[in-house]
Amino acid sequence: MKGALPIWYHLGAKKRLRLLNNTRVSDFLRDRHGVSYVADLLKLTRRTCFRRARAQSNDFVPSTCECRACGEDTARGCKHPLGCCKAAANLLEQVRPKWHPDVEPVPDGLTLTSKCLDANTEALESEGVVTFNPSLTERGSIMEAMRVFVDPSVHDEPPAIRARAGRIVEDEAVTAYLVGPSSRKSLPKGAEPMPNNMGLVYYPGSPEKSAIVRPRPPRGNILMQQGEVTAALHAVEDTPKDSPLRLV
C-alpha cells in the first residue's frame, strides 16, 4: 500500500517535497526513469550498486557504474545513473515515518486476534458487546483505501500513530449511551430536534457527566446526521486511556 502511493505531492510527506516536485532533477526522474509512485523510487534506491556506494561513503557516489540496471539507464540517456539513485533517496527521505516503505510500525498489541474477531462476529449476531478493532485492512487497490474529501488543514500534519496499550483496569470500565438527532415525528408536538451535528452522551454510572456535545469549531450546513459520531468522539476523549469504554 505504501509503495502504491504517488510520490509527487505525497499526502504523508514533509513540506520540502513540494519544493522538489518541479526541480530539474525531479523532471528527469519522471521523464527518463518513469518515477510516479513510491515503488518507482525503491527500484532506484534499492540497487545493489547504490547501496554499496552509500555504505562506503555517506554522500559521494561514483559517476559511472557497469551494472546492468545502470547500463540500461545510460542507454535511455541518463548520464549519471547513481546520481539519480541518490536523488531518489533524497525524495524518499521526505516521506514521514508512518508512510515510509522502509519503516515497519512498532507492534502495539492493539490489533485483534482471530479469536477476538470471531467473538465480534458472534456478538454482532447476538447483539452482544463488540470489541473495537483499531486496525483497518484493505486488500483491494489504493483507490479503495483513500478518500480525497478531507479537511485541507490536515494535509501537512503527520498521520496519527497509535499509542501503546497501557494497564487496563476492568473495574473502572465506562459505559456510555450515544443518542443522535431524532426526527420530528418521534418528538412531542412543538419540540425542536437537535441539529444534525449534535449528540447526547449519557453515562449511567455517572449521570452528572452526561452532556450534549457538538463539534469544535461548529460548522454550518451539516446535511448528514453526525450526532452519534460527535457523541462517540466526546466519550473517547472523556474516558481515561486505561479504562475500557463500552459504547451503546
Side-chain angles (χ1 to χ4, degrees), residues 129-184:
V129 177
V130 177
T131 302
F132 176 68
N133 186 7
S135 298
L136 300 178
T137 302
E138 175 55 55
R139 292 182 173 84
S141 66
I142 191 69
M143 292 183 292
E144 298 296 328
M146 295 295 168
R147 299 293 180 266
V148 297
F149 300 103
V150 298
D151 187 345
S153 65
V154 306
H155 283 316
D156 294 325
E157 298 295 331
I161 297 179
R162 301 185 311 197
R164 285 178 173 272
R167 183 173 59 90
I168 304 301
V169 183
E170 286 292 342
D171 293 340
E172 298 179 3
V174 176
T175 298
Y177 286 81
L178 312 177
V179 180
S182 302
S183 64
R184 290 182 179 273

Side-chain angles (χ1 to χ4, degrees), residues 1 6 39 96 102 126 147 153 190 239:
M1 190 67 75
R96 291 190 174 99
D102 292 333
S126 61
R147 299 293 180 266
S153 65
T239 304

